[in-house]
């Protein structure tokens, strides 16, 4: 039975065997065909894992690394940031070249104003005639009278418009000129049709009587070669945004031997405290106590370091654009007397009033047919050319293309490279210590709300140049500058570096040794000295709220202690209004309340550090108005709390706080009416 059944099943078994063998062969063929794809997939996975590993390694890299300070080297091209980045639109102020220009007269200290006759046909037709005149602009002579003191920095005089044929020699004391040109054409009624076709301004650098003694002093000095100083500032550009939006400038500076201060950390919220730390060595409490007691007070009595340089025979210059929101004038008095030998403010005030302005992001990027930046860069270049063989101290600060939009600096990338190349041509880099820097990164807006926005705000870019001869004569000092590029550095350290230059100029000093401290930071050190890499933020005059050295751990926003911290900050805002003098009427600004706690972090102690408190970094929204605030609060035990520095406003408040003029209260005001 069995053998008989086997015989009957043999055909079936052969069929099954054939099917199985065929299936196995087919499977082997399929596997063989899939091997390249399988290996390709594996290779791709390895690459992805390698990239992930590299990204992890990159996140582990630090700009500053020590037992007391670890500043992470964040990726400039994070996705959250790049979503906000757009190509910068060119700043095009006119389709026509400027009709007039100014040149120096050969072998004299005078200047000549010239109409470019080759361009006349661009402004008038053959049936029209061109008529031009020019006016002299001066700082208002009434500024010395007490009645005009509070507004002296906003006053200028515009002279009568004198006819300009083709060219004219300017009076030796002329600094600022307004040019206007009209087209004139006879019409049927016998009258002339007149239309303005061109207006522009020019700034020149005459040899003033008050600087001639400095030139003579420089010539007669037997002191060894001394450094001039040039501070070049671009407002609101973080180190990371400099890399993103001005890569040509970064590449040029890196390739030509500038030293980047990678750990340059701001010390205050906006421009004023950071510039005052650099220029005076004082923090804002000391400034208010010693020389600027109120918003209505003048800045003339503050100990700006340009005064010290001026006493040593340095010719001084200060220029800042956007005169309405400039550092010393935004809801402030400014200077009753010109702070430096050359001061561009009257020129810029007149330009904004008498020239056609082109606005971008609420900034005047064009004044007439020329960009605002070019007006200032030309002026600074002329100053440096005029005094290339003298000692000078200069401060240039530009706001118009960087203050409100993180994308716009890209439009000035190539222009800044050409400016630095121009400085090489006239020898500026052979005579000067140059600091090219910003005050802070973007303090508000969408970029501030990104994962790297906290770091960006606190870490502005900063590059330093010292001449080749200085490097050879002072190798140890230059070596320290390079080393300090990887250390925590603040504006107070830069101030002491300038003080060191001053001290090295005196006959009884030992050059390039740290002999100074500054009241704003008694433990700070200049760049020419060997600063310890194990610096705490307080060693550099940086308060905990602005310090980037610490690591943080996130904590749940619904924790009771976090809720208490948020309410404490809001109460501090209320107290700030109550204690402000003069007090703001209570019916102007709404009473704020905590709406939502967006995030909370607790600061982790350094290795081996023992503390009896906890620092909380908290971000929250208030109502009404949905203001986004950030603050660092120190908590002892369960109830004792103290603000660590200023309360930061992270989103825009311009439209919400128009009812008050106090710039320090504006971030906290939601106008009721």
């Amino acid at each position: 039975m069995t053998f008989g059944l086997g015989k009957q099943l043999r055909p079936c078994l052969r069929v099954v065997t054939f099917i199985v063998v065929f299936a196995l062969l087919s499977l082997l063929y399929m596997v063989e065909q899939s091997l390249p794809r399988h290996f390709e997939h594996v290779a791709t996975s390895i690459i992805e894992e390698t990239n992930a590993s590299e990204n992890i390694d990159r996140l582990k890299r630090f700009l500053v690394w020590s037992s007391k300070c670890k500043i992470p080297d964040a990726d400039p091209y994070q996705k959250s940031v790049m979503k906000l980045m757009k190509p910068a639109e060119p700043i095009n102020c006119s389709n026509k070249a400027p009709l007039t220009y100014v040149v120096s007269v050969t072998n004299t200290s005078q200047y000549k104003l010239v109409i470019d006759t080759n361009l006349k046909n661009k402004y008038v037709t053959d049936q029209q005639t061109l008529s031009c005149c020019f006016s002299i602009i001066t700082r208002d002579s009434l500024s010395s009278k007490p009645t005009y003191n509070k507004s002296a920095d906003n006053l200028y005089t515009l002279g009568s418009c004198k006819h300009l044929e083709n060219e004219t020699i300017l009076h030796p004391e002329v600094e600022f000129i307004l040019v206007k040109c009209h087209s004139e054409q006879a019409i049927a009624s016998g009258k002339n049709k007149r239309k303005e076709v061109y207006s522009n301004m020019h700034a020149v650098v005459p040899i003033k009587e008050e600087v001639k003694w400095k030139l003579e002093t420089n010539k007669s000095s037997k002191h060894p070669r001394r450094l001039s100083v040039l501070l070049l500032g671009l407002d609101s550009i973080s180190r990371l945004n400099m890399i993103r939006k001005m890569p040509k400038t970064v590449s040029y500076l890196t390739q030509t031997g500038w030293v980047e201060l990678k750990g340059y950390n701001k010390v205050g919220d906006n421009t004023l405290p950071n510039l005052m730390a650099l220029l005076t060595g004082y923090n804002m409490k000391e400034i208010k106590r010693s020389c600027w007691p109120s918003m209505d007070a003048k800045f003339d009595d503050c100990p700006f370091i340009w005064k010290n340089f001026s006493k040593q025979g340095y010719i001084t210059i200060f220029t800042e654009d956007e005169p309405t929101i400039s550092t010393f004038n935004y809801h402030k008095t400014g200077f009753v007397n010109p702070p430096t030998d050359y001061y561009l403010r009257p020129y810029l005030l007149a330009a904004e009033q008498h020239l056609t302005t082109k606005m971008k992001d609420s900034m005047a990027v064009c004044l007439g047919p020329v960009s605002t930046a070019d007006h200032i860069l030309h002026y600074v270049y002329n100053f440096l050319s005029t005094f290339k063989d003298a000692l000078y101290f200069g401060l240039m600060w530009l706001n118009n293309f960087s203050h409100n939009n993180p994308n716009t600096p890209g439009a000035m990338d190539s222009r800044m490279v050409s400016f630095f190349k121009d400085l090489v041509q006239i020898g500026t880099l052979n005579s000067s210590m140059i600091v090219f820097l910003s005050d802070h990164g973007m303090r508000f807006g969408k970029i501030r709300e990104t994962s790297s926005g906290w770091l960006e705000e606190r870490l502005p870019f900063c590059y330093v140049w010292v001449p080749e001869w200085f490097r050879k004569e002072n190798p140890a000092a230059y070596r320290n500058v390079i080393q300090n590029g990887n250390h925590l550095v603040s504006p107070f350290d830069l101030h002491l570096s300038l003080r060191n230059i001053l001290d090295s100029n005196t006959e009884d000093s030992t050059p390039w040794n740290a002999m100074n401290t500054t009241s704003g930071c008694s433990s700070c050190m200049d760049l020419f000295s060997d600063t310890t890499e194990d610096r705490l933020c307080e060693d550099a005059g940086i308060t905990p709220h602005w310090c980037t050295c610490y690591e943080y751990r996130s904590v749940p926003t619904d924790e009771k202690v976090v809720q208490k911290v948020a309410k404490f900050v809001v109460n501090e805002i209320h107290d700030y209004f109550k204690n402000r003098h003069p007090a703001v009427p209570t019916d102007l600004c709404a009473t704020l309340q905590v709406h939502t706690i967006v995030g909370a972090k607790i600061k982790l102690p350094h290795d081996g550090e023992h503390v009896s408190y906890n620092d909380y970094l908290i971000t929250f929204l208030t109502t009404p108005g949905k203001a986004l605030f950030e603050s660092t609060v120190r908590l002892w035990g369960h109830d004792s709390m103290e603000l660590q520095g200023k309360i930061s406003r992270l989103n825009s408040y311009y439209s919400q706080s128009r009812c008050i003029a106090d710039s320090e209260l504006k971030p906290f005001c939601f106008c009721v009416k």
Side-chain angles (χ1 to χ4, degrees):
M1 287 285 298
T2 304
F3 290 108
L5 182 59
K7 290 180 180 179
Q8 293 177 3
L9 292 174
R10 282 174 187 169
C12 294
L13 290 171
R14 284 197 293 267
V15 171
V16 170
T17 302
F18 176 80
I19 293 172
V20 170
V21 171
F22 179 81
L24 288 170
L25 290 173
S26 299
L27 180 61
L28 288 171
Y29 176 80
M30 292 172 65
V31 170
E32 181 182 16
Q33 292 299 310
S34 69
L35 281 175
R37 294 180 183 178
H38 172 71
F39 286 136
E40 181 181 352
H41 172 71
V42 171
T44 303
S45 298
I46 292 173
I47 291 172
E48 290 175 351
E49 289 173 5
T50 302
N51 287 341
S53 176
E54 289 176 354
N55 287 336
I56 292 172
D57 288 340
R58 184 169 189 170
L59 289 174
K60 289 181 179 178
R61 290 188 310 172
F62 290 81
L63 299 171
V64 174
W65 174 272
S66 75
S67 62
K68 296 180 180 178
C69 183
K70 296 177 177 64
I71 302 179
D73 185 10
D75 181 4
Y77 306 103
Q78 292 181 24
K79 289 183 179 180
S80 60
V81 176
M82 294 310 294
K83 290 178 181 178
L84 305 173
M85 294 293 104
K86 298 178 181 178
E89 297 179 3
I91 299 175
N92 183 24
C93 299
S94 176
N95 294 325
K96 303 173 185 177
L99 181 60
T100 55
Y101 60 91
V102 173
V103 293
S104 58
V105 180
T106 307
N107 297 325
T108 72
S109 58
Q110 292 183 296
Y111 290 88
K112 180 167 59 176
L113 175 63
V114 182
I115 297 175
D116 190 337
T117 55
N118 295 323
L119 294 176
K120 282 186 177 181
N121 61 347
K122 299 290 184 181
Y123 290 88
V124 293
T125 65
D126 293 339
Q127 290 75 38
Q128 297 172 326
T129 58
L130 184 71
S131 175
C132 297
C133 64
F134 69 98
S135 302
I136 306 303
I137 297 160
T138 56
R139 186 178 170 94
D140 200 319
S141 59
L142 296 176
S143 62
S144 60
K145 294 185 178 181
T147 309
Y148 292 87
N149 277 355
K150 288 187 177 182
S151 58
D153 224 8
N154 294 321
L155 300 176
Y156 66 90
T157 298
L158 180 66
S160 60
C161 212
K162 300 177 181 178
H163 179 68
L164 174 63
E165 190 60 41
N166 285 321
E167 61 180 51
T168 186
I169 301 293
L170 299 173
H171 189 277
E173 295 181 2
V174 167
E175 288 188 88
F176 311 134
I177 311 147
L178 170 66
V179 181
K180 288 186 176 291
C181 295
H182 295 79
S183 66
E184 295 184 353
Q185 182 178 2
I187 55 179
S189 63
K191 297 182 179 180
N192 284 340
K193 184 179 180 181
R194 182 178 170 87
K195 179 183 178 182
E196 184 177 304
V197 294
Y198 174 79
S199 61
N200 198 8
M201 289 183 62
H202 303 283
V204 298
V205 184
I207 307 296
K208 298 182 178 182
E209 288 296 324
E210 55 265 34
V211 304
K212 288 182 178 179
W213 73 267
K214 295 182 178 181
L215 294 174
E216 294 301 321
T217 301
N218 291 337
K219 288 180 181 179
S220 61
S221 174
K222 296 181 181 179
H223 198 279
R225 183 153 43 169
R226 294 184 283 175
L227 284 171
S228 288
V229 175
L230 182 61
L231 309 176
L232 304 173
L234 308 181
D235 200 275
S236 302
I237 302 183
S238 68
R239 176 182 178 271
L240 293 179
N241 205 41
M242 187 72 175
I243 294 171
R244 282 191 298 262
K245 305 307 295 185
M246 302 185 77
K248 294 177 183 177
T249 304
V250 171
S251 177
Y252 177 80
L253 298 177
T254 303
Q255 292 175 11
T256 53
W258 291 64
V259 178
E260 182 186 9
L261 303 184
K262 298 177 182 178
Y264 186 64
N265 198 126
K266 75 174 190 175
V267 297
D269 184 29
N270 52 23
T271 309
L272 183 63
N274 292 292
L275 261 188
M276 291 304 271
L278 170 59
L279 296 173
T280 70
Y282 283 26
N283 59 38
M284 288 309 298
K285 286 184 179 179
E286 293 171 313
I287 289 292
K288 292 178 179 179
R289 183 173 62 246
S290 63
C291 64
W292 188 60
S294 70
M295 303 290 279
D296 292 331
K298 61 183 180 179
F299 282 98
D300 298 53
D301 300 327
C302 291
F304 292 100
I305 200 167
W306 57 54
K307 296 180 180 179
N308 305 81
F309 278 96
S310 182
K311 290 178 181 177
Q312 287 196 8
Y314 282 67
I315 301 165
T316 57
I317 178 176
F318 169 43
T319 174
E320 181 178 9
D321 63 350
E322 295 293 339
T324 304
I325 65 161
S326 55
T327 305
F328 303 107
N329 300 90
Y330 179 58
H331 296 299
K332 307 178 191 76
T333 296
F335 298 94
V336 170
N337 296 301
T340 51
D341 296 321
Y342 294 87
Y343 185 48
L344 197 62
R345 183 169 176 81
Y347 174 92
L348 293 165
L349 289 167
E352 288 200 350
Q353 187 170 351
H354 296 282
L355 298 182
T356 302
T357 59
K358 181 177 181 180
M359 307 298 290
K360 184 175 179 60
D361 304 311
S362 302
M363 298 280 111
V365 294
C366 293
L367 297 173
V370 179
S371 74
T372 303
D374 270 332
H375 277 283
I376 292 186
L377 292 175
H378 284 311
Y379 181 63
V380 173
Y381 174 82
N382 288 338
F383 173 87
L384 297 172
S385 299
T386 301
F387 300 114
K388 61 183 179 180
D389 297 322
L391 289 169
Y392 50 78
F393 178 97
L395 170 60
M396 177 198 81
W397 202 264
L398 290 173
N399 300 283
N400 72 91
F401 62 85
S402 58
H403 188 277
N404 287 353
N405 189 332
N407 290 299
T408 316
M412 287 296 294
D413 192 14
S414 297
R415 180 66 183 92
M416 289 307 301
V417 172
S418 66
F419 177 69
F420 284 120
K421 290 181 178 179
D422 289 341
L423 298 191
V424 173
Q425 292 298 316
I426 60 175
T428 303
L429 273 68
N430 193 43
S431 62
S432 308
M433 175 185 174
I434 307 175
V435 183
F436 179 45
L437 78 165
S438 189
D439 47 355
H440 49 72
M442 291 299 295
R443 299 185 297 116
F444 53 83
K446 292 297 182 182
I447 195 170
R448 179 57 182 81
E449 299 172 27
T450 64
S451 58
S452 66
W454 184 85
L455 271 177
E456 295 218 18
E457 178 189 2
R458 287 157 171 77
L459 297 176
F461 78 87
C462 187
Y463 290 84
V464 174
W465 169 269
V466 290
E468 293 290 342
W469 63 263
F470 176 88
R471 305 178 193 185
K472 293 178 181 178
E473 294 179 10
N474 307 278
Y478 180 59
R479 185 167 58 249
N480 289 334
V481 173
I482 295 174
Q483 290 177 348
N484 287 323
N486 297 311
H487 294 175
L488 177 67
V489 176
S490 77
F492 291 113
D493 298 317
L494 290 182
H495 174 78
L496 286 177
S497 304
L498 303 183
R499 289 269 293 274
N500 202 335
I501 292 174
L502 280 170
D503 288 343
S504 70
N505 291 340
T506 59
E507 299 292 344
D508 58 348
S509 67
T510 303
W512 317 117
N513 286 328
M515 297 173 293
N516 288 302
T517 59
T518 175
S519 56
C521 178
S522 60
S523 55
C524 280
M525 299 180 71
D526 67 274
L527 298 179
F528 303 113
S529 301
D530 184 12
T531 60
T532 174
E533 63 180 357
D534 264 358
R535 301 181 88 188
L536 295 167
C537 276
E538 50 259 44
D539 296 330
I542 304 165
T543 58
H545 184 57
W546 304 123
C547 180
T548 57
C549 286
Y550 283 93
E551 296 179 273
Y552 288 83
R553 172 176 57 82
S554 295
V555 294
T557 57
D558 58 356
E559 282 192 3
K560 288 184 178 180
V561 64
V562 173
Q563 303 284 335
K564 288 176 66 175
V565 169
K567 291 179 181 178
F568 168 77
V569 177
V570 171
N571 287 334
E572 288 291 301
I573 293 175
H574 296 161
D575 290 342
Y576 190 38
F577 271 88
K578 292 177 184 177
N579 298 328
R580 187 71 175 160
H581 296 286
V584 175
T586 55
D587 60 340
L588 290 180
C589 302
T591 300
L592 301 180
Q593 294 180 337
V594 177
H595 179 274
T596 306
I597 299 177
V598 177
K601 298 178 181 180
I602 190 169
K603 185 175 73 176
L604 302 178
H606 294 306
D607 298 339
E609 183 183 17
H610 300 284
V611 294
S612 58
Y613 56 82
N614 285 316
D615 280 352
Y616 284 87
L617 177 66
I618 185 168
T619 308
F620 60 94
L621 287 165
T622 57
T623 185
K626 296 293 180 66
L628 183 62
F629 292 111
E630 182 180 79
S631 182
T632 300
V633 177
R634 180 160 293 176
L635 175 64
W636 285 276
H638 297 288
D639 298 314
S640 181
M641 286 182 274
E642 181 184 6
L643 282 178
Q644 298 298 296
K646 194 177 173 92
I647 302 169
S648 300
R649 173 73 184 261
L650 305 188
N651 54 358
S652 179
Y653 52 86
Y654 174 76
S655 61
Q656 295 183 350
S657 59
R658 291 176 177 172
C659 60
I660 62 173
D662 190 321
S663 60
E664 294 190 5
L665 288 179
K666 275 180 171 291
F668 311 108
C669 179
F670 180 81
C671 292
V672 176
K673 298 179 181 179

